[in-house]
Amino acid sequence: MPELPEVETMRRGIADAIGMRVERVEVPQGRLRPLLMQPPPRQLAAEVRGCVIEAAERYGKRIGLRLVGSASSRQPTAAGCRWLVIEPRMTGLLLVSTAPSQEHVRLRLGGRCGRGRPQELLFWDRRGLGTVRLVDAAGLQQLCGPSRLGPDALAIDSDTFASRLRASARAVKVALLDQRAVAGIGNLYAAEMLFHAGIDPRVRCRQLSRPRWARLHTAMQEVLAEAVELEGSTLSDATYRTALNEPGRYQSRHRVYGRAGQPCPACGTVIRRIVQAQRSTFFCPQCQRR
DNA sequence: CGTTCAACCTGGGCGC
DNA sequence: TGCGCCCAGGTTGAAC
């Protein structure tokens, strides 16, 4: 379930790896689907080896490591620039300074070693739905450009936010999950921000007034900013961890998500669970109005 | 335009 | 104690 706050926490958690060289790439044998890695593990490992990690960017719920140069290319110029795009999907994790196991994709780091510098960057995915792709500039555009991802939910301004969703006939909760409209929102934070904005998740976008769009925009950025500050949500299955293998702390702030049958923290009305677009939606029928 | 469904996976929780 | 089942949801692509 990594959404914007969890992925942003991963990005920040691996900041110390920036400027370091990838000395070796190890990929676990056997359990990898073809889809997990592009190109296939052996080729990807050969191409990443020797590159320097120049930056770690977040694109919605994905992380892109900008890599420059390699032993084979000998051209540490912009032309040789590549991105290793990591998409955690449901259970993927990016870790540093953790005892690695054979389950991890491991990037062994070297070069500018120093205090606090990680020795390894690890990607692990319990369910194996996540992906790791090495792409050039054109590939990055295709994967994370405006044709796939709208403006980031934390950066978008109120007017742009409203204008990108306002005309939709869809229920507002469903529209918030559309990464092409706004990038970074998933099922959990969609429910939470709608609660904070006092909006019923079933309302059609085109029926929301301008003031309510402004209110939703504010709620969205407040919820996401606080969740980033608290390093995301670790649910009862304890899957999500920070890059330092610690749980997030935003789960204690959940008002509606996962709380069906429990009283609303604001008014005491029983929280409801419904299904929209094949996913659970949690809301308070009293606090959230049509 | 929009919705609906299937597919990719594993592990936790539940009923029996 | 264990088996079978449902569910968790990010993304894609096809069908309607």
Side-chain angles (χ1 to χ4, degrees):
Chain A
M1 54 121 260
E3 305 179 26
L4 186 153
E6 290 76 25
V7 179
E8 176 62 16
T9 301
M10 290 178 201
R11 189 190 72 81
R12 295 181 181 189
I14 62 167
D16 287 337
I18 291 169
M20 298 186 76
R21 185 176 299 277
V22 180
E23 295 192 330
R24 205 162 82 190
V25 180
E26 289 172 36
V27 179
Q29 299 295 311
R31 341 178 21 235
L32 292 176
R33 293 173 301 116
L35 180 120
L36 175 70
M37 288 199 138
Q38 283 173 5
R42 184 162 291 202
Q43 188 186 342
L44 182 139
E47 292 189 32
V48 169
R49 186 179 171 184
C51 290
V52 171
I53 301 173
E54 282 225 323
E57 309 275 2
R58 181 178 57 77
Y59 305 98
K61 303 173 190 172
R62 296 162 190 171
I63 285 180
L65 301 181
R66 194 168 88 229
L67 305 176
V68 177
S70 77
S72 56
S73 83
R74 266 183 228 294
Q75 283 195 342
T77 59
C81 197
R82 305 269 192 76
W83 282 264
L84 193 64
V85 177
I86 294 154
E87 191 176 331
R89 299 220 180 166
M90 301 303 302
T91 50
L93 291 180
L94 210 45
L95 302 158
V96 295
S97 305
T98 301
S101 79
Q102 295 193 335
E103 310 263 302
H104 297 92
V105 175
R106 304 165 62 182
L107 305 190
R108 187 181 291 273
L109 304 173
R112 265 196 255 151
C113 288
R115 274 176 308 154
R117 292 242 177 214
Q119 295 188 324
E120 292 192 310
L121 204 51
L122 306 130
F123 179 71
W124 176 67
D125 188 348
R126 198 187 69 197
R127 282 170 67 178
L129 297 174
T131 65
V132 178
R133 284 174 280 201
L134 182 67
V135 296
D136 60 12
L140 183 72
Q141 270 307 296
Q142 216 170 57
L143 219 53
C144 302
S147 65
R148 284 286 176 85
L149 300 179
D152 193 79
L154 261 184
I156 194 171
D157 66 82
S158 186
D159 287 344
T160 309
F161 174 65
S163 72
R164 293 185 70 89
L165 291 168
R166 201 170 42 209
S168 171
R170 290 185 287 183
V172 59
K173 155 68 166 28
V174 176
L176 285 172
L177 299 178
D178 182 352
Q179 302 301 299
R180 295 200 296 196
V182 182
I185 302 169
N187 206 44
L188 192 161
Y189 294 101
E192 290 298 314
M193 63 184 67
L194 284 167
F195 174 80
H196 282 256
I199 296 171
D200 187 309
R202 298 166 293 187
V203 182
R204 309 267 161 185
C205 286
R206 50 170 69 144
Q207 283 167 339
L208 278 175
S209 66
R210 276 181 181 273
R212 300 191 88 197
W213 278 113
R215 202 170 159 198
L216 180 54
H217 175 263
T218 302
M220 170 175 76
Q221 300 206 325
E222 285 175 354
V223 164
L224 293 176
E226 192 182 5
V228 168
E229 205 168 306
L230 295 179
E231 302 190 295
S233 301
T234 297
L235 304 180
S236 57
D237 68 4
T239 298
Y240 165 72
R241 318 290 287 182
T242 70
L244 294 176
N245 199 24
E246 284 169 358
R249 304 185 304 284
Y250 190 75
Q251 60 279 6
S252 65
R253 302 288 222 277
H254 293 178
R255 301 289 194 265
V256 288
Y257 182 81
R259 302 192 63 246
Q262 298 177 45
C264 167
C267 74
T269 303
V270 175
I271 305 284
R272 280 189 63 193
R273 173 187 176 272
I274 60 174
V275 175
Q276 293 180 290
Q278 277 86 8
R279 288 161 184 182
S280 293
T281 297
F282 301 92
F283 70 105
C284 170
Q286 179 66 28
C287 295
Q288 297 177 249
R289 301 306 183 102
R290 281 189 177 273

